[in-house]
Amino acid sequence: MRDVKLKLAILDMYADTPNQGMRAIKDIVRTFEHQLDWRVFDVRSKRDIPDTSFDIYISSGGPGHPLDGDGIWDEQFFHLLDQLWLHNRATKGPKKHVFFICHSFQMACYHFGLAKITARKSRSFGTFPAHKTADGANDPLLQALPDPFYIADFRDYQVVQPDWTALDGMNAQILALEKIRSHVPLERAIMAVRFSDEFFGTQFHPEADPHGMMNYFGQEEKKSEIIKEHGEEKFEQMMEDLNDPTKIPLTHQQLIPGFLKQAIEALQLAYNDMPFENANSTSPKQPKKTSQNYDKPDQGAVQ
């Protein structure tokens, strides 16, 4: 069995907003550098969109309303999703694997017509339990997590009101819902969707690493801001969940690394099933490493 060096595109959706999300994504991807070559694309600020030559795509969270594009980068992003989706439906060979995070997840759900995007009554900020659906309990990525499992969640918008006809039409599955709030007469948001065997997304931040979050939120100025806006109890609960190995650390260890392991395994098998000359000609070319592969660590809160 021959190993093919695969290509991964990271879509930076932060529009130059300071964040911890991109740092955390890069840290995870670096642990797979013996199997992956990767590049960052600044989608919103530079309208820099990857082509379809990559094997794996991770699309980040980001600030603002998920439907407020400029008519250029957002349409290019949606066009890319359509191209990747059609490729997977048309080919029996290597598929394209995509992971959507928060802002990107909301955009993908809207684009595929799976649910509505609405503003929350108040911002979700901190760590919370998320509950699996019946499909989620059997999903290969979520199986390793307990029910409920714990998530880092920072958002002003939400995916709600699923369109079951659209979901059934593309064989998509809702895998998790936000925490149970029996005292709040509001619909629970959709927290994870499997769009297909290769497309997966979460409304929360599975890249959020406990060590980085504790360092950032533990800074005196940031701690004071959080306590002022959300209360000391919220801050202490968040710190406790970050320290508990069965909560945020477990989600961080399982989801994106698990997605990458499964994608790499499927792609290697697919490339090895191809005739050698075809695999050689269609296997991804290794991108020249540039400063885009090794950006300086990002600063700021997860978005």
Side-chain angles (χ1 to χ4, degrees):
M1 181 173 177
R2 60 191 182 275
D3 286 334
V4 177
K5 195 73 175 288
L6 303 171
K7 289 173 59 179
L8 181 147
I10 300 174
L11 282 67
D12 179 354
M13 305 288 275
Y14 280 99
D16 293 330
T17 301
N19 69 92
Q20 286 288 314
M22 285 301 298
R23 175 198 56 76
I25 292 169
K26 293 174 193 174
D27 285 349
I28 293 171
V29 169
R30 286 188 182 103
T31 66
F32 290 87
E33 281 187 333
H34 60 295
Q35 296 169 294
L36 299 172
D37 282 319
W38 57 280
R39 180 184 163 191
V40 175
F41 292 82
D42 188 342
V43 175
R44 295 171 67 177
S45 294
K46 298 181 179 178
R47 298 171 178 169
D48 187 19
I49 308 287
D51 60 25
T52 59
S53 68
F54 292 82
D55 298 286
I56 304 171
Y57 300 75
I58 298 176
S59 194
S60 79
H65 195 294
L67 306 186
D68 285 347
D70 64 0
I72 300 176
W73 71 261
D74 50 324
E75 291 302 320
Q76 292 174 334
F77 175 73
F78 291 142
H79 180 61
L80 173 64
L81 300 191
D82 289 338
Q83 288 181 299
L84 299 178
W85 186 266
L86 291 173
H87 168 89
N88 286 354
R89 289 176 62 88
T91 185
K92 293 183 179 179
K95 309 286 189 181
K96 306 296 183 178
H97 295 253
V98 187
F99 197 112
F100 302 101
I101 299 170
C102 197
H103 192 92
S104 298
F105 171 77
Q106 293 165 346
M107 292 185 71
C109 287
Y110 167 80
H111 179 64
F112 289 117
L114 301 185
K116 302 289 186 183
I117 311 298
T118 65
R120 286 177 54 85
K121 293 289 186 182
S122 61
R123 189 178 194 214
S124 177
F125 184 97
T127 55
F128 305 93
H131 297 262
K132 298 181 191 179
T133 64
D135 288 324
N138 296 312
D139 187 82
L141 269 184
L142 295 186
Q143 279 181 336
L145 296 174
D147 189 18
F149 61 98
Y150 278 75
I151 61 173
D153 193 27
F154 307 91
R155 59 191 168 86
D156 295 301
Y157 301 93
Q158 58 185 352
V159 177
V160 291
Q161 301 175 39
D163 184 324
W164 295 106
T165 300
L167 284 157
D168 291 343
M170 63 189 295
N171 293 318
Q173 297 174 325
I174 295 174
L175 304 181
L177 300 174
E178 70 179 326
K179 67 179 182 178
I180 297 171
R181 301 172 295 174
S182 56
H183 60 291
V184 178
L186 295 173
E187 181 180 2
R188 293 162 66 199
I190 299 166
M191 300 309 292
V193 168
R194 180 168 290 284
F195 299 82
S196 68
D197 288 344
E198 297 81 25
F199 281 35
F200 187 95
T202 67
Q203 190 155 215
F204 56 91
H205 288 269
E207 80 280 14
D209 61 311
H211 181 71
M213 286 181 68
M214 283 190 291
N215 282 346
Y216 179 72
F217 292 127
Q219 296 173 17
E220 199 57 43
E221 182 179 352
K222 181 55 62 176
K223 177 180 176 180
S224 298
E225 288 178 12
I226 295 170
I227 291 174
K228 181 179 180 179
E229 184 173 353
H230 301 282
E232 189 164 1
E233 183 178 353
K234 169 71 74 176
F235 178 82
E236 295 300 334
Q237 182 62 59
M238 185 168 62
M239 292 296 109
E240 182 179 323
D241 289 344
L242 291 173
N243 275 302
D244 186 336
T246 69
K247 293 185 176 179
I248 301 302
L250 184 61
T251 303
H252 171 74
Q253 292 161 11
Q254 292 293 335
L255 277 189
I256 296 180
F259 165 80
L260 289 174
K261 289 173 186 175
Q262 291 176 16
I264 290 167
E265 180 179 355
L267 286 161
Q268 293 290 3
L269 287 172
Y271 278 119
N272 275 277
D273 282 344
M274 297 171 66
F276 183 76
E277 61 273 15
N278 289 342
N280 223 24
S281 62
T282 60
S283 61
K285 296 179 181 179
Q286 298 180 18
K288 183 178 180 181
K289 290 188 176 180
T290 69
S291 60
Q292 285 178 296
N293 293 66
Y294 302 101
D295 293 351
K296 296 178 181 179
D298 302 280
Q299 303 296 317
V302 178
Q303 296 287 337

